Amino acid sequence: MPVELIEQTGHWLQFVPPGNKVSEQVRKLALLYAISENHEEPRISEAAVQWASALVTHQTQRMLCMARGHVAKSPFHAECLRVLQKLRDAPNRRLSHSVLLKRMKLKAKDFRDLIETLVQRREIQVTSTPRAGSPLIEYSLDEGG
């Protein structure tokens, strides 16, 4: 019976097509909302449907965003995503060449190819700071690219 009340509100079905997983989640959450408001006579209100729809929409967008950052189209793309994630997780989103190379556990040539690709895509920046001996080379996320 409460599920039928969701369908009576009508307007949200245009946004969330019936029969798919998103619609099912909206229905379940709206029902929980209604039960939390009045457990003896739950009535699914428009507010319940709007809340459930907003929550499911947010979670779906978050899932798609996470997928973009973790689902690779090729092994090379997977390694690029790993570099970007290691930089995101690093303090100040910056790592030295030696630290990132060790964390990636790649051959130096493969690592150079990754870095060159990410620089050309404007996803990372390379900075070189002079110091005694060899310069300090650091990689950081390119926030503007």
Side-chain angles (χ1 to χ4, degrees):
M1 178 158 161
V3 174
E4 293 171 9
L5 292 175
I6 291 176
E7 293 174 343
Q8 290 175 7
T9 61
H11 73 279
W12 71 276
L13 291 174
Q14 295 171 3
F15 175 71
V16 182
N20 74 19
K21 296 287 184 184
V22 173
S23 176
E24 291 172 25
Q25 292 301 320
V26 170
R27 290 170 189 251
K28 289 176 189 177
L29 288 169
L31 180 57
L32 284 172
Y33 185 103
I35 291 169
S36 72
E37 283 187 320
N38 182 352
H39 69 280
E40 291 179 4
E41 285 188 49
R43 297 265 187 248
I44 297 176
S45 64
E46 187 173 335
V49 173
Q50 288 176 347
W51 172 82
S53 180
L55 179 61
V56 171
T57 299
H58 169 78
Q59 289 302 101
T60 302
Q61 289 173 344
R62 176 144 173 72
M63 179 184 64
L64 292 173
C65 181
M66 295 295 287
R68 279 191 293 276
H70 296 286
V71 177
K73 296 174 184 161
S74 68
F76 184 80
H77 185 228
E79 293 300 323
C80 289
L81 292 175
R82 280 185 58 219
V83 168
L84 295 172
Q85 188 60 50
K86 292 197 182 299
L87 289 172
R88 273 188 219 100
D89 294 342
N92 300 324
R93 296 179 167 216
R94 174 180 297 273
L95 287 173
S96 70
H97 173 81
S98 60
V99 170
L100 185 56
L101 178 58
K102 286 176 190 171
R103 289 184 185 175
M104 290 300 297
K105 297 175 178 47
L106 294 172
K107 294 178 189 174
K109 183 191 179 312
D110 294 338
F111 181 77
R112 278 192 303 273
D113 290 345
L114 280 175
I115 296 299
E116 183 179 324
T117 298
L118 292 170
V119 168
Q120 288 179 9
R121 289 184 191 168
R122 294 188 172 149
E123 294 186 67
I124 66 170
Q125 292 179 338
V126 181
T127 56
S128 180
T129 307
R131 64 177 184 179
S134 60
L136 173 65
I137 297 173
E138 293 183 304
Y139 306 106
S140 61
L141 291 175
D142 188 344
E143 305 297 338

